[in-house]
Amino acid sequence: MAEFTTLSKRIEFSASHRYWNNDFSEEENHSIFGKCTSEYGHGHNYVLETTVRGPVDEDTGMIINIYKLKPILKSVLKEFDHKFLNLDTDYFEKLIPTTENFAKILYECINEKLKDSECELLKVRLYETKDLYVDYWK
């Protein structure tokens, strides 16, 4: 059986969002999503923790060089950093940008960029606040 080690990297970024389901009445939206229904949205200083796994290379002692991983993560976050998720990205045209949905989207985007890498994406953890986060993995 192959041995694997994990490596996790945290990156902070900011984005805003609004919770609203067009299939619900205004009253239902307010009842379910509360203050998160403001048409102007609200923002968060998110923390994304990305965990990759793979064998440790005998020559480098690393799973992946952090100087290779960090630009991949930053390139993904460029689509979301300082954006109003509902309007500035195509990902949330029909999908409510909850932390759960956002974590899944980030996982998929990062996973795509790591396809030809020496490691594989294990999971992402997205902190909306310091005490609220979502883990997503496949």
Side-chain angles (χ1 to χ4, degrees), residues 22-59:
N22 288 328
D23 294 333
F24 295 165
S25 69
E26 186 171 336
E27 293 77 26
E28 286 176 298
N29 273 293
H30 288 290
S31 173
I32 294 167
F33 302 123
K35 66 180 182 175
C36 296
T37 60
S38 168
E39 66 183 291
Y40 305 106
H42 66 280
H44 297 282
N45 293 317
Y46 290 97
V47 175
L48 173 66
E49 186 176 286
T50 304
T51 302
V52 296
R53 76 177 201 158
V56 175
D57 182 279
E58 289 183 24
D59 296 327

Side-chain angles (χ1 to χ4, degrees), residues 40-94:
Y40 305 106
H42 66 280
H44 297 282
N45 293 317
Y46 290 97
V47 175
L48 173 66
E49 186 176 286
T50 304
T51 302
V52 296
R53 76 177 201 158
V56 175
D57 182 279
E58 289 183 24
D59 296 327
T60 65
M62 296 182 267
I63 300 169
I64 184 172
N65 189 318
I66 194 69
Y67 293 111
K68 185 175 177 186
L69 179 61
K70 190 174 175 181
I72 290 171
L73 300 178
K74 286 189 172 220
S75 73
V76 168
L77 290 179
K78 191 173 188 175
E79 288 188 82
F80 304 101
D81 193 24
H82 289 89
K83 305 288 171 109
F84 186 30
L85 299 175
N86 304 70
L87 301 177
D88 297 335
T89 72
D90 294 336
Y91 299 100
F92 299 105
E93 265 184 37
K94 296 179 182 179

Side-chain angles (χ1 to χ4, degrees), residues 77-126:
L77 290 179
K78 191 173 188 175
E79 288 188 82
F80 304 101
D81 193 24
H82 289 89
K83 305 288 171 109
F84 186 30
L85 299 175
N86 304 70
L87 301 177
D88 297 335
T89 72
D90 294 336
Y91 299 100
F92 299 105
E93 265 184 37
K94 296 179 182 179
L95 189 64
I96 300 170
T98 60
T99 311
E100 295 88 339
N101 285 335
F102 195 13
K104 180 180 180 193
I105 294 294
L106 289 169
Y107 179 96
E108 291 169 352
C109 292
I110 294 165
N111 195 44
E112 179 65 28
K113 297 256 184 187
L114 284 173
K115 265 188 174 177
D116 298 323
S117 177
E118 57 271 25
C119 64
E120 67 177 306
L121 182 58
L122 182 61
K123 74 173 184 171
V124 297
R125 174 173 282 179
L126 182 62

